[in-house]
Amino acid sequence: MSCRILVLISGSGTNLQALIDSLRARPTEGQIVAVVCNRPGALGIERARNANIPAVTLDHKDYPDRETYDQALMEQIDHFEPDLILLAGFMRILTEKFVSHYRGLLLNIHPSLLPKHKGLHTHQRVLDAGEGEHGSTVHFVTLELDGGPLIVRARIPVLAGDTPASLAARVQEQEHHLYPLAMHWFVQGRLRLIDDQACLDGSVIPPEGLKLEDFNNDLREDSYAS
Ligand code: NHR
Ligand code: GAR
């Protein structure tokens, strides 16, 4: 059964592009049925259109509060009947009602080695803390911001002379492998949220998440098979 995927974005959509490209190799497994964006004019909208994916802009500034915005967002999303919702650089915190409505179907990619550096400005905070490594994490979204069960992480070293921009660029390069991998696991029915725990192939994923480097063989475009 082909998985109906919906992607939420706010910005440039390079992660969206990586997801689109990785699905090209296996179109029968899943398809991105829509992209929803909260920022008018975001580059990611153009990426969706170029791939013939319907793109909807729902500007949060047109709504009086978070509850009303999320209500409208849910109505848009439900119209597309998705089986999986991916936050890919989506910059709005979601309400309890939204998160519980899509429980188990919502993944996020966060630019840090969670549980370190939840929230925003992660690249600057890694530099300020003088840390030697950084990275990105895919996790199930729950009510606790960036606190849901971890699925898989990618690491990069912090190098002398790194800036927030140089770190962001190297983190994103990893993300473009990391997010497609997690998406394919979900689409193939291998990744599930069971009793608040992330499970891959029926085994509970350890709290610190899996390591991208352990799945290098799964990363070739033709080899997402189980
Ligand atoms: N919602 C819930 N309930 N739980 C999570 O884990 C979520 C979420 C919504 C988004 C992504 C997250 C990230 O990966 C995410 C995870 C935005 C903010 C934020 O403070 C924080 C974390 C994340 C996304 N947003 C501001 C707000 O007031 C707006 C900032 C802006 O527009 O630039 O919503 O980092
Ligand atoms: C990604 O690095 C993602 O991890 C991060 O924003 C970037 C989006 O890039 N997400 C957040 O900071 C969420 N608050 P993209 O639009 O090019 O995919």
Side-chain angles (χ1 to χ4, degrees):
M1 250 267 296
S2 183
C3 183
R4 297 174 60 82
I5 304 160
L6 187 142
V7 184
L8 289 175
I9 62 165
S10 299
S12 68
T14 64
N15 278 288
L16 167 66
Q17 190 68 57
L19 299 169
I20 291 171
D21 293 346
S22 83
L23 281 163
R24 279 218 177 94
R26 332 187 121 247
T28 55
E29 266 188 11
Q31 47 165 333
I32 301 179
V33 293
V35 168
V36 180
C37 181
N38 72 309
R39 289 213 184 116
L43 180 58
I45 298 169
E46 224 163 287
R47 294 180 189 275
R49 300 237 159 96
N50 288 338
N52 291 315
I53 297 166
V56 179
T57 303
L58 215 59
D59 188 346
H60 60 275
K61 295 199 192 83
D62 295 339
Y63 296 83
D65 51 46
R66 277 183 204 271
E67 281 65 33
T68 319
Y69 180 69
D70 278 11
Q71 190 60 45
L73 200 55
M74 284 192 275
E75 279 163 24
Q76 270 299 331
I77 291 173
D78 287 345
H79 169 77
F80 292 102
E81 303 185 334
D83 306 306
L84 172 64
I85 300 169
L86 300 172
L87 307 186
F90 186 68
M91 298 305 290
R92 297 298 301 172
I93 295 174
L94 297 161
T95 56
E96 172 165 13
K97 197 168 170 203
F98 185 101
V99 171
S100 35
H101 186 59
Y102 299 112
R103 206 187 148 62
L105 308 183
L106 261 181
L107 304 187
N108 178 41
I109 188 157
H110 178 77
S112 81
L113 293 172
L114 288 174
K116 279 188 178 169
H117 307 300
K118 296 174 181 175
L120 303 177
H121 314 298
T122 56
H123 309 301
Q124 183 66 57
R125 284 156 61 200
V126 164
L127 291 173
D128 291 347
E131 288 166 354
E133 63 170 10
H134 185 30
S136 184
T137 308
V138 177
H139 64 94
F140 278 101
V141 173
T142 61
L143 254 192
E144 191 198 335
L145 189 66
D146 297 324
L150 308 190
I151 298 164
V152 60
R153 301 194 297 185
R155 289 166 199 279
I156 59 153
V158 177
L159 306 175
D162 260 329
T163 61
S166 68
L167 280 180
R170 293 212 309 289
V171 164
Q172 288 203 7
E173 198 180 305
Q174 292 300 306
E175 289 186 327
H176 300 158
H177 302 292
L178 191 66
Y179 219 2
L181 177 67
M183 172 182 71
H184 282 278
W185 284 342
F186 192 98
V187 159
Q188 294 171 341
R190 300 172 59 192
L191 174 66
R192 286 294 178 256
L193 184 70
I194 302 171
D195 297 335
D196 284 320
Q197 292 179 309
C199 297
L200 184 67
D201 298 330
S203 301
V204 175
I205 294 174
E208 70 278 11
L210 300 166
K211 295 181 176 136
L212 178 65
E213 60 263 33
D214 289 340
F215 297 93
N216 279 332
N217 286 336
D218 293 17
L219 285 174
R220 279 176 295 118
E221 281 220 335
D222 59 345
S223 67
Y224 283 108
S226 34

